Amino acid sequence: MLENFVASLAEWILSISNGEIMWVAFYAGLFVALMTSLGAMVAIFAKSLPEGGVDFALSFAAGVMIVAAFTSLILPAIESTGSFAPAGIGIALGVLLIYAIDRFLPHEHLVKGYEGPKSMKDKLRKVWLLVIAVIIHNLPEGLAVGTSLVYNLEVGLVTTIAIGIQDFPEGTVVSLPLAAIQKKRLTPIAMGVLSGFAEMAMVLVGAYFFTLFSWLLPYGLGMAGGAMLYVTVKEMIPEIYRGEKNQTLVTLGFFVGFYVMLFLDSMLG
C-alpha cells in the first residue's frame, strides 16, 4: 500500500512536470523550503520551545539524516556501480567540502559558539552568523534531494518527504533563538525562510549538475551522503549531547527520526 502511494506520487509529479527532472527538482525544492519556512513561522506564536524541545528537534533531524545518508545515497551509490570506490571517493569529497566550508566560512552555533576565520568574527552581526550556520547544515540536505531524484525518482521523493519533515523542526530551531535576540518578529522568520530557499537552490544545483554529468552520479550520491554524515556527527550530535539534563529525550528524538526515515524508505518495498 505504502509503496503504491510512492509510485502514484511519482507518476503524478512526472505528469505535472512533463517528464522534466528539473521541474521535479523545483517542486521538491519548493516543498523542503516551505517546510522550513512553516517551521520558522512558529516564532510568531511562541516565545520559546518547551524545555528540551530544541534538543529533541535537532536529534530527530540527526536520526533522519543518518538513515537517509545510507539508504538514499551511499548504498544506492554502491549498487549503481557494483563497486565501493565511487561511493568511497564521493564520501571523502563530501566530508572535505563541508570541512572546508565549516573552517573558512564565518558562522556561529548556539552552543559551540563562533567558528571560522577569527578576522571575520566581529564583521558580521550574530543573527547572520547563526543563519550561515543553518545554511551550512542545509546544503547537504539540498544536495541529497537533488542527487537522489536524478538517481531514482521514487528514492528521491522518499528522501524529499523525510528531509521536509525534519526541516519543519529545524526551521523552528532557527527562528526561535533569533527571535530571542531580535525585537522584530518578522526578522527571524525571514532568516528561516532564507535558509529554506538556500536549501532549495542546492536541490536545483545538484539535480542540474548530475543530469548534465550523469556518469558522475555515483560520486555525487556518495558526496551528499558524506556531507550529511559530517554535519550530523561533527555539528549536530555534539550540540544535542552538550548537557546532562535531556539525554534520554535526545536519544528518544534520535530514534524517532531514525524510525521515521527507515519507515519511509520501506515504502519503496
Side-chain angles (χ1 to χ4, degrees):
M1 180 178 177
L2 293 175
E3 54 265 34
N4 291 338
F5 167 76
V6 177
S8 299
L9 179 62
E11 187 177 341
W12 178 72
I13 289 287
L14 279 176
S15 67
I16 65 172
S17 305
N18 294 321
E20 294 289 336
I21 190 63
M22 287 308 300
W23 277 110
V24 175
F26 174 81
Y27 294 130
L30 188 62
F31 172 72
V32 295
L34 288 176
M35 290 295 286
T36 305
S37 302
L38 289 172
M41 289 179 186
V42 172
I44 297 177
F45 307 103
K47 293 183 179 179
S48 63
L49 285 175
E51 184 179 357
V54 170
D55 294 335
F56 185 88
L58 286 176
S59 59
F60 174 86
V64 170
M65 290 173 69
I66 285 283
V67 177
F70 285 98
T71 61
S72 298
L73 299 164
I74 293 173
L75 293 179
I78 295 172
E79 291 169 3
S80 65
T81 61
S83 170
F84 172 74
I89 293 170
I91 292 168
L93 290 174
V95 170
L96 289 173
L97 174 65
I98 303 301
Y99 171 79
I101 293 173
D102 197 38
R103 182 172 181 181
F104 296 111
L105 195 65
H107 60 284
E108 185 161 340
H109 300 283
L110 294 173
V111 177
K112 295 174 67 179
Y114 178 83
E115 289 187 337
K118 292 182 179 179
S119 60
M120 295 293 293
K121 184 175 182 179
D122 299 320
K123 293 183 180 181
L124 290 173
R125 294 169 57 194
K126 185 173 182 178
V127 62
W128 281 109
L129 292 172
L130 289 169
V131 170
I132 292 171
V134 176
I135 290 175
I136 292 173
H137 284 193
N138 285 356
L139 292 180
E141 296 171 15
L143 183 62
V145 171
T147 53
S148 60
L149 283 169
V150 175
Y151 166 72
N152 180 283
L153 182 57
E154 293 185 6
V155 171
L157 289 177
V158 168
T159 305
T160 302
I161 293 169
I163 294 296
I165 289 171
Q166 61 99 31
D167 272 342
F168 184 91
E170 273 196 351
T172 304
V173 168
V174 176
S175 62
L176 285 181
L178 294 178
I181 61 176
Q182 291 285 315
K183 293 182 180 179
K184 297 179 179 179
R185 284 276 170 174
L186 290 180
T187 301
I189 294 170
M191 296 302 179
V193 171
L194 175 63
S195 70
F197 279 90
E199 184 175 349
M200 178 181 180
M202 201 62 190
V203 173
L204 295 172
V205 168
Y208 183 71
F209 182 85
F210 291 107
T211 299
L212 287 179
F213 302 99
S214 57
W215 62 277
L216 287 173
L217 184 58
Y219 298 90
L221 289 167
M223 184 170 69
M228 285 180 67
L229 287 175
Y230 179 89
V231 165
T232 306
V233 173
K234 197 267 181 181
E235 303 288 353
M236 299 179 74
I237 290 177
E239 286 268 315
I240 58 182
Y241 277 109
R242 65 189 181 276
E244 298 181 358
K245 279 187 177 180
N246 301 313
Q247 289 194 3
T248 302
L249 186 65
V250 165
T251 304
L252 176 63
F254 176 85
F255 279 105
V256 170
F258 182 95
Y259 270 100
V260 165
M261 182 61 212
L262 207 57
F263 172 73
L264 289 172
D265 188 66
S266 73
M267 294 168 72
L268 297 177

